[in-house]
């Protein structure tokens, strides 16, 4: 899969991604929270120091298809982002706590008397005890900065 710039621009234009981003107020919220292009300047210095663009260029055959996929998914994800921006950060933190509790419940309630049960515990604990709480915690922190 290669990156087709014309297709990407057409997808962005056809789906009015920039218009939808503006309508969600994402850029305004970022600016109110203190995130501006000027505040990103130190990140550019760090990226230059660690030759991030060199690494990106070297792995462009792997990265660009991901960018194309992100552009294709953007129309469906923007409404989700809009909903997330309207959700209080406490909801994210509460959901993270609930996921941790569910993971603990899986360990406590599912007996470890067979390989199948241990595999089930693992299959539940990884997403509920690690992935969801970390993602929700990061989401809650970002939303709290934008509130």
């Amino acid at each position: 899969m290669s990156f087709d710039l014309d297709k990407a621009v057409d997808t962005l234009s056809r789906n009015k991604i920039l218009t939808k981003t503006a309508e969600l107020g994402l850029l305004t919220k970022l600016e109110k929270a203190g995130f501006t292009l000027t505040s990103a300047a130190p990140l550019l210095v760090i990226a230059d120091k660690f030759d991030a663009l060199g690494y990106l260029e070297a792995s462009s055959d792997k990265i660009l298809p991901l960018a194309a996929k992100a552009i294709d998914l953007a129309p469906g994800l923007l409404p989700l982002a809009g909903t997330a921006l309207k959700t209080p950060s406490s909801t994210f933190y509460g959901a993270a706590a609930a996921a941790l509790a569910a993971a603990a419940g899986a360990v406590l309630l599912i007996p470890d008397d067979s390989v199948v049960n241990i595999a089930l515990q693992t299959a539940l604990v990884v997403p509920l005890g690690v992935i969801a709480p970390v993602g929700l915690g990061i989401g809650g922190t970002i939303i709290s900065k934008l509130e």
Side-chain angles (χ1 to χ4, degrees):
M1 177 182 204
S2 63
F3 184 75
D4 184 350
L5 181 60
D6 292 332
K7 181 182 176 198
V9 170
D10 180 58
T11 301
L12 291 171
S13 176
R14 184 173 18 88
N15 292 302
K16 300 182 180 180
I17 300 300
L18 295 177
T19 302
K20 290 178 182 177
T21 303
E23 288 171 355
L24 288 173
L26 178 61
L27 300 177
T28 303
K29 288 184 180 198
L30 287 171
E31 188 174 11
K32 285 180 182 176
F35 298 105
T36 62
L37 290 176
T38 306
S39 67
L43 296 175
L44 295 175
V45 172
I46 292 170
D48 185 45
K49 178 181 175 184
F50 292 105
D51 193 29
L53 291 178
Y55 290 117
L56 183 62
E57 182 180 3
S59 61
S60 64
D61 59 329
K62 295 177 183 114
I63 300 293
L64 289 177
L66 294 175
K69 191 63 167 172
I71 290 169
D72 288 340
L73 294 174
L77 293 177
L78 274 176
L80 181 62
T83 302
L85 287 171
K86 295 174 186 166
T87 305
S89 59
S90 58
T91 303
F92 285 89
Y93 296 133
L100 281 171
V107 170
L108 294 172
L109 297 174
I110 299 172
D112 0 336
D113 57 358
S114 71
V115 174
V116 172
N117 283 347
I118 292 172
L120 179 59
Q121 284 179 346
T122 304
L124 291 172
V125 167
V126 171
L128 292 174
V130 180
I131 297 170
V134 169
L136 291 165
I138 290 170
T141 301
I142 291 170
I143 295 298
S144 72
K145 302 284 185 200
L146 299 176
E147 290 178 326

